[in-house]
Amino acid sequence: MRRFIHVRHSIWLFVIGCCGYATAQDSRPMIIPVESKQNAVVLQVDAKGQLSTIYFGTKLSNSATYQQIPATYQQTVDYSGVANAAYTAAGSKNLFEPAIAVVHADGNNGLDLRYVSHKTISRGPDVEETSILLKDPLYPFEVTLHYKVYKAADVIEQWSVIRHTEKGNVTLQKFASANLYLKASRYWLKQYHGDWVQEMQPEESQLTHGIKTLDSKLGTRANLFQPSVFMISLDQPATEDQGSVLYGSVEWSGNFRVDLELDNLDNLRIIAGINNYASPYILPANTAFETPPFLYTFSNKGKGDASRKLQRWARNYKILDGKGERFTLLNNWEATYFDFDEAKLKGLLKDTKELGVDLFLLDDGWFGNQFPRNSDHAALGDWQENRKKLPNGIAALDSMAQRNGVKFGIWIEPEMVSPQSELNAKHPDWVLRQPGREEHYFRHQLVLDLSNPKVQDFVFQIVDSLFIKAPKLSYIKWDCNAVIYNAWSAYQGKQSSQLYVEYVRGLYKVLARIRAKYPTVPMMLCSGGGGRVDYGALQYFTEYWPSDNTDPLERIFIQWENSYFYPAIASANHVTDWGKQSIKFRVDVAMMGKLGFDIVVKDLKEQERTFCKEALTNYSALKDVIWHGDQYRLADPHEGSVAAVMYLDEKQSSGVMFNYLVNYRYGEGSKLPIRLKGLDPCKRYQLKEINLYPEEVSTIPDNVTFAGDFLMTIGFNPQLNLKRTSVVIQINEAP
C-alpha cells in the first residue's frame, strides 16, 4: 500500500494569504525533517513562509528537539536573513551564490520563493520522497523541491522542478538541483582532476572563504578533466574509519557545476546541478523544467562507511542489474587494433573459448565501406559492416560465437561522426558545427546533435539494427570520445543556448528507448577512459570503463579512488600488456571488479595460460563477494608501499583480500601486519593464498585459523616483497 502524507494545514496553522502563499498563524516555526536511518536534513518554515535549512548531519532520536538547534549557534549576523535558504533565489535580498536565477517575462529578475505545502510519498520499500512546493508571491512562478530518501542506505537524491504560468517565456539563468547548508568549525574538500590515462587524481585542501567551483564545460565527457564526485569532511579531515564526511555527486552526463561557498557566518553552502555556463534556458509557460538529481550521503564513521553506503545504494537502486551477474570477456582491441578480418576474428573466438571467459567483444574498426574504418580518421556514422573485413557481416560472427560456446559483443560510438563519412555528407545539419567558421575536431571527429529527435531516432536505430542482424548479441561497448566543440545546433537555431542541456536529455531519451526494448543486455559505459561515469548514465549501463590506462600499478590507484563512489561490480577491469608487471599481478588487479582480457592469447606462455585459466576458476568462486559484498580499504597506496583491499559477504563468513606492493625500492614489503575490517570478532577464520603462479609455493600456511578480533586488532601479514608483489588471500569462516 502506498503511503501518502500531504501537509498544507498543520498544527502551525498555515493559511493562504492574499498573495497566494502560506503564512503562519502561530509564532512557532514549522519543522520538516527529511530523515534516513542515521542522518537528517532538517528544514524550517518561518512565519513569512521562508524555507531554511537548520540542520544537516546525524539524526536525533527525538525529532521535536530539532527546533532547539538554531539557538545553540551564536555566529555573525546574517544580514540577508536567507543565507541558509533551502533553495536560494537571486534578485531579492540574497547576498550569496544563488541556486536559481531567472528573468521573468516582463524583464524583471527578482525572485522570492515562499513555502506553500509539502507532502511525503512512499516510493517503495524503505524509500520515501518528500516534495516541497515554493511559490513567488508576486509572479505565477513556482519551484518544487524533491528529496528522495533511501532510508536504509542513508542516501538522498535531491532535485527541483521549475514551472510558471507567466504571459510569455521566462529565462532560467541558473537552475541548481540542490542547495545544502552545513555547519562545522572547518571544512576539507577532497576533489579529483585528471586527463586521458590520468583519471581520478585526488587532491584534498581546507576550504577558505569565498567560492570554490567544481565544474565541466565539455558537453559530453563530463569528467575528463574534473569528475562530478567529491567529499567534504567536517571539523577535520576524515580518515577511512573516523570522522564526519559528506559524499556528493551530480547525476548528469554533461556540464555540471558545484559551488562550495564558505560564507561570512563560517557556514558552508553547497549548490549543485547542471552548469549554467553558456546555457540560459527559455522556459515557456505551463512547461516543467526538471533538474537532474544531486546525490549525497553522510557518515560520522569515516570515508569507508560512507563509500559502503553509496555502493550498496548503487547496487540496490541505481546501476542496471546491480545485484545480478556480469560476463568475463576477451576484447580484440589490443590484439588487432583496426587490422583484422573474419578469419582472424574466428581464431580469437576460439581463443575466447580456450581461455575460459564468457564473451568475445569485437572492438572498433568493423564498419564503413565508402570510407573504411581502418583508422580513427573516418567512418563514424556509417554503421554498415565493412564488406572486406566482414563479408558475411556480424551475423556470421554471432553464429560462430554460439558454435564456440561463447557469447558475442560489439563496440559502437553512436553519438559521433567522422568528417570523412557518408553520414556527414548526407546530413550536415545533424552535426554540431558553427556556420561559416573553421571546424575544430576532437580525436578527428565531430558530435551529432542529440537534441534533434531525428538524430535520436538514428542513434536508436543503430543499436536496434545490431540486434536485428545478430539476435543473440549479448554485450555492447558504448564509447564517447569527443567533447563538444563547435557548439551550435541547426535544430535549436536561435535557442542553441539550450544545446548543452538538450544534448544530454536527448542521450537519455535514446538510452531509455534502448532499455525499454532491450532491458537486460549488458552495456559498458566507455569514453576514452573514465571520461563519462556518473549515476545519471549508469542507470542505463551495467558497468563503466575507469581508464584506458590498464597498467596494473596505475590501475590500483585509479580503481582505489573510484571505489569511494562506485561499486566493484560496475568497474570493468581488463588484463592487457600495459605495464611491466607479471601476468599474475595484472590478473589480480583486474579481479577487483568485472574481469576482462585484452591480450593476444596465443602469445601467452604455457604457464601464463595455465595461470589465467586457474585464476578464472578462482574468480568464478569469488565474484559474488567481490561484486555484491562490502568493500574495505585496508592499506592506502598513497600512504605507504602496500595497497590492500578486502571484500566481505553480508554474513561475515567469507571474503577475499587483495594485496599489492606498489613501491619496488630495495627492501620494501609488508613489514607490518595489515588489520582486516568488518569481521565478526567472535568467529574464527581460515586464510588461504590463492592465484598462485604454476609451481609457486605459498609462504603462508593454509591450515591456521585466526580469531576475528585478532585479525582486526593485530592483523595479518600477506608477506609481500620484491619477489611476491601480489598476494590474494581467500577468507572463510573456520568450520
Side-chain angles (χ1 to χ4, degrees), residues 6-34:
H6 185 271
V7 178
R8 186 178 293 271
H9 306 290
S10 70
I11 61 171
W12 287 269
L13 190 60
F14 271 66
V15 299
I16 301 300
C18 63
C19 295
Y21 62 91
T23 57
Q25 302 302 297
D26 190 300
S27 60
R28 292 174 299 167
M30 177 192 293
I31 299 297
I32 307 175
V34 179

Side-chain angles (χ1 to χ4, degrees), residues 12 31-35 40 42-43 54-55 59-69:
W12 287 269
I31 299 297
I32 307 175
V34 179
E35 296 177 318
V42 183
L43 307 172
I54 62 168
Y55 179 72
K59 181 173 73 173
L60 302 182
S61 58
N62 183 356
S63 60
T65 60
Y66 289 128
Q67 282 197 340
Q68 299 172 333
I69 291 176

Side-chain angles (χ1 to χ4, degrees), residues 85 415 479 498 544 621 670:
E415 300 167 62
D479 215 339
Q498 301 181 172
Y544 72 97
S670 53

